[in-house]
RNA sequence: GGAGGGGUGACCGAGCGGCCGAAGGUGCGGCACUGGAAAUGCCGUGCACGGGUAAUCCCUGUGCCGCGGGUUCGAAUCCCGCCCCCUCCGCCA
């Protein structure tokens, strides 16, 4: 959420900055409403000041035994007017709030211009895509042939876009989770948390999921609609909302949190897209990274977060590239962000496996997390960051495809073997 | 789900409907004392939103004692609804 003051003081600059992301029209509407709001606020406050002064006087006069019935009647009228004006003010406030939560974040000055992912900029590559002496197969073929990936029965139990992993397939999924968490907590300074997978509407609003992405969320049905709970689309939601409303001491920043959770997404509007295999699922596992930092720290922390996610791929020896998202593709809440894309031999291209973003003060303000500067002075909003470290299912896909062998089996990356009970190779599985 | 108790500032904890942004204590910051520290003493110590302003300093107004309503000239204090926490009972992985 942007600072209304910014909209008030520099609407033209904002409209320009948001040209690629949309939202210029919203800025204009908010600026108009904001003027109206301040006008009414002044009226109400002047009346309240009058009431406070007079009530004080009434109290004193009464104690002296004077007649105050006339003043009381006058204040009764003032009270009515205050009530009426307050209702109007509330309506304007609500309208502004409704508009404000729809305005996307302003891209950082360093973000490359552009409107779509076609304008994203490749930052670096790591590892050389392996050449196979045979036509590499896609993961769904490999997995189903080995009997470890079962999409048909998943559709029977739930619906399409769900998966069942069997035996060593499930074991590998679990190994990856453990491997990633150990790396981040033991070597990268993250604190591991275990968090709710169902959260309330307020949390979804504060983390930027609502109202814009309502149609992407699974939710519970409650007798009282206000008590609806939503399944998290990412652990970022729970981790970021943790400190909502708190003022943290600067000395305790940056906070670096990691959590493993399943993630639930409706994936509405993606019919026919990525339908093969388990690349795009309604339920998937993810190890998430979240940071809460000072404004001075956040952009360095973004770079190191990307490096933390990259390290997972390096340990697994999976070729990848890092892409910086352009202004038009950077995401609703993000000021700056990178995607990490892993090599897919069967597709002969890189596909997304992690996305790391700095939401900056936009995120901190929306979720209401501040910090008290060590040097003294007023508290200021923290910057919030998040990134996948990594999407577990997609990592499994990358392993199946990059480590596949001519005989249809799959080698297990050495770094993962201790976590997979020493398993060195994925071979045909049957019960 | 049932019965009872409770939600006040960073924390603990007072608070007759007006004199309460809120006693007292702890913590924290500064100063004094000290060779240095402890102890002690003195002073200070919220946030948001308006207005005065170019200003996050200063002055001023309004609001905030779980949240939302109501009563009243006036509510931390009275009334109603909701949320959360604690204890006991029931159910239960």
């Amino acid at each position: 959420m942007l600072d209304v003051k910014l909209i008030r003081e520099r609407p033209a600059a904002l409209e320009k900055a948001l040209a690629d992301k949309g939202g210029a029209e919203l800025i204009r509407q908010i600026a108009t409403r904001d003027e109206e709001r301040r006008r009414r606020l002044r009226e109400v406050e002047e009346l309240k000041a009058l009431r406070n002064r007079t009530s004080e006087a009434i109290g004193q006069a009464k104690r002296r035994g004077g007649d105050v019935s006339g003043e009381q009647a006058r204040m009764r009228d003032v009270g009515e007017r205050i009530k009426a004006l307050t209702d109007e003010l509330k309506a304007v406030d609500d309208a502004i709030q409704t508009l404000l939560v729809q305005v996307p974040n302003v891209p950082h000055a360093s973000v490359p211009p552009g409107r779509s992912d076609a304008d994203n900029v490749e930052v670096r590559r790591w590892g050389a895509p392996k050449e196979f002496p045979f036509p590499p197969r896609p993961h769904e073929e490999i997995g189903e042939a080995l009997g470890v990936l079962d999409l048909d029965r998943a559709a029977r139990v739930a619906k399409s876009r769900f998966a069942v992993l069997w035996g060593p397939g499930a074991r590998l999924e679990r190994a990856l989770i453990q491997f990633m968490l150990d790396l981040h907590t033991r070597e990268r300074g993250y604190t591991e948390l275990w968090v709710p997978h169902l959260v309330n509407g307020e949390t979804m609003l504060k983390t930027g999921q609502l109202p814009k992405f309502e149609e992407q969320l699974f939710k519970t049905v409650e007798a009282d609609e206000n008590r609806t709970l939503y399944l998290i689309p990412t652990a970022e939601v729970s981790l970021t909302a943790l400190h909502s409303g708190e003022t943290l001491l600067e000395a305790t920043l940056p906070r670096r949190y990691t959590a493993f959770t399943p993630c639930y997404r409706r994936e509405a509007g993606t019919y026919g897209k990525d339908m093969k295999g388990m690349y795009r699922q309604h339920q998937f596992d993810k190890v998430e990274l979240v940071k809460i930092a000072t404004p001075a720290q956040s952009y360095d922390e973004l770079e190191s977060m990307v490096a933390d996610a990259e390290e997972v791929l390096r340990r697994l020896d999976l070729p990848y590239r890092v892409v910086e998202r352009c202004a038009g593709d950077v995401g609703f809440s993000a000021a700056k962000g990178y995607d990490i894309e892993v090599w897919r031999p069967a597709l002969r291209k890189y596909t997304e496996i992690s996305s790391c973003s700095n939401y900056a003060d936009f995120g901190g303000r929306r979720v209401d997390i501040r910090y008290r500067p060590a040097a003294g002075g007023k508290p200021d909003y923290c910057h919030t960051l998040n990134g996948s470290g990594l999407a577990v299912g997609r990592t499994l896909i990358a392993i199946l495809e990059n480590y596949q062998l001519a005989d249809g089996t799959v080698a297990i990356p050495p770094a993962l073997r201790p976590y997979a009970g020493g398993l060195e190779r994925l071979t045909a599985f049957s019960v």
Side-chain angles (χ1 to χ4, degrees):
Chain A
M1 186 164 67
L2 294 180
D3 190 347
V4 197
K5 280 183 186 157
L6 207 61
I7 295 174
R8 184 147 74 219
E9 286 157 17
R10 286 198 284 280
L14 271 185
E15 284 177 35
K16 189 167 174 239
L18 288 175
D20 283 332
K21 281 181 98 169
E25 176 56 30
L26 284 169
I27 298 294
R28 281 190 288 275
Q29 289 181 31
I30 292 169
T32 309
R33 294 289 191 144
D34 178 57
E35 265 184 61
E36 184 187 348
R37 174 182 166 276
R38 278 182 296 156
R39 212 167 45 234
R40 289 177 191 276
L41 185 61
R42 277 180 76 170
E43 279 183 72
V44 175
E45 291 194 346
E46 278 167 19
L47 283 178
K48 281 184 176 174
L50 170 67
R51 182 177 67 181
N52 286 348
R53 278 197 308 274
T54 312
S55 291
E56 172 87 40
I58 288 174
Q60 287 175 5
K62 248 184 152 173
R63 248 169 290 139
R64 288 195 306 266
D67 175 32
V68 293
S69 55
E71 290 293 275
Q72 285 191 354
R74 243 174 28 104
M75 285 307 108
R76 205 166 7 243
D77 289 343
V78 171
E80 298 292 318
R81 284 174 60 201
I82 288 175
K83 199 171 294 179
L85 285 172
T86 302
D87 287 346
E88 290 175 30
L89 183 63
K90 176 123 188 1
V92 179
D93 265 335
D94 289 348
I96 291 175
Q97 196 61 21
T98 302
L99 293 169
L100 206 52
V101 296
Q102 297 177 57
V103 181
N105 199 358
V106 176
H108 189 255
S110 65
V111 172
R115 294 198 172 265
S116 75
D117 57 359
D119 299 314
N120 290 348
V121 176
E122 184 174 306
V123 177
R124 59 181 166 271
R125 291 186 183 208
W126 184 90
K130 189 162 65 175
E131 286 307 324
F132 290 83
F134 55 91
R137 297 191 293 166
H139 73 279
E140 65 273 13
E141 276 183 41
I142 303 166
E144 292 192 307
L146 289 175
V148 298
L149 173 63
D150 186 351
L151 296 169
D152 295 338
R153 287 195 182 84
R156 180 192 297 165
V157 173
K159 57 181 280 189
S160 69
R161 289 219 153 123
F162 282 89
V164 169
L165 294 171
W166 286 82
R171 176 68 198 250
L172 268 188
E173 178 88 1
R174 179 159 59 92
L176 280 168
I177 294 163
Q178 197 95 323
F179 168 70
M180 291 179 195
L181 284 173
D182 278 355
L183 175 60
H184 297 312
T185 57
R186 289 179 183 167
E187 301 182 37
R188 299 269 157 170
Y190 289 83
T191 302
E192 181 177 353
L193 289 89
W194 184 86
V195 296
H197 300 173
L198 287 151
V199 302
N200 58 41
E202 198 182 336
T203 291
M204 284 300 188
L205 184 73
K206 285 174 168 174
T207 52
Q209 302 294 330
L210 289 178
K212 187 168 179 180
F213 302 111
E214 165 118 51
E215 70 282 3
Q216 298 298 341
L217 299 173
F218 286 101
K219 58 183 180 184
T220 64
V221 177
E222 304 293 329
D224 177 358
E225 206 178 299
N226 293 320
R227 305 185 67 173
T228 298
L229 291 173
Y230 298 82
L231 278 77
I232 56 171
T234 160
E236 167 206 332
V237 168
S238 303
L239 286 175
T240 307
L242 259 191
H243 291 295
S244 180
E246 296 183 29
T247 302
L248 308 173
L249 296 177
E250 181 174 3
T252 69
L253 300 177
R255 302 286 181 101
R256 301 187 179 97
Y257 295 151
T258 183
F260 153 71
T261 68
C263 304
Y264 303 93
R265 300 183 183 180
R266 287 194 167 278
E267 296 296 351
T270 60
Y271 305 115
K273 194 173 164 190
D274 306 320
M275 280 311 286
K276 282 189 177 168
M278 54 179 286
Y279 181 76
R280 190 177 294 279
Q281 300 273 289
H282 288 306
Q283 171 190 321
F284 62 95
D285 290 336
K286 185 153 61 71
V287 169
E288 182 74 358
L289 307 173
V290 161
K291 293 186 182 183
I292 300 169
T294 67
Q297 297 165 338
S298 76
Y299 286 93
D300 286 342
E301 289 298 327
L302 174 62
E303 298 301 322
S304 67
M305 177 182 271
V306 174
D308 297 332
E310 286 180 63
E311 187 60 23
V312 177
L313 292 170
R314 293 185 184 214
R315 299 279 172 106
L316 296 173
D317 201 20
L318 292 167
Y320 67 86
R321 64 172 189 165
V322 178
V323 170
E324 175 163 13
R325 304 183 97 149
C326 73
D329 195 42
V330 76
F332 177 78
S333 300
K336 187 180 178 73
Y338 297 96
D339 283 348
I340 301 174
E341 301 178 342
V342 70
W343 177 250
R344 300 277 298 279
L347 305 179
R348 295 206 65 78
K349 68 174 186 183
Y350 291 94
T351 65
E352 184 180 330
I353 196 166
S354 170
S355 184
C356 300
S357 308
N358 184 2
Y359 287 179
D361 63 321
F362 180 96
R365 187 176 299 105
R366 186 145 173 163
V367 74
D368 189 23
I369 303 175
R370 289 175 294 176
Y371 72 98
R372 188 173 293 284
K378 282 177 160 281
D380 193 12
Y381 287 109
C382 290
H383 284 197
T384 61
L385 303 89
N386 68 82
S388 4
L390 306 163
V392 180
R394 290 188 175 180
T395 308
L396 184 59
I397 289 175
I399 289 172
L400 290 176
E401 296 190 359
N402 282 281
Y403 281 84
Q404 63 180 299
L405 302 169
D407 62 0
T409 63
V410 176
I412 307 297
L416 200 57
R417 290 176 191 171
Y419 289 92
L423 192 68
E424 294 181 6
R425 242 176 155 200
L426 207 53
T427 54
F429 170 80
S430 64
V431 282

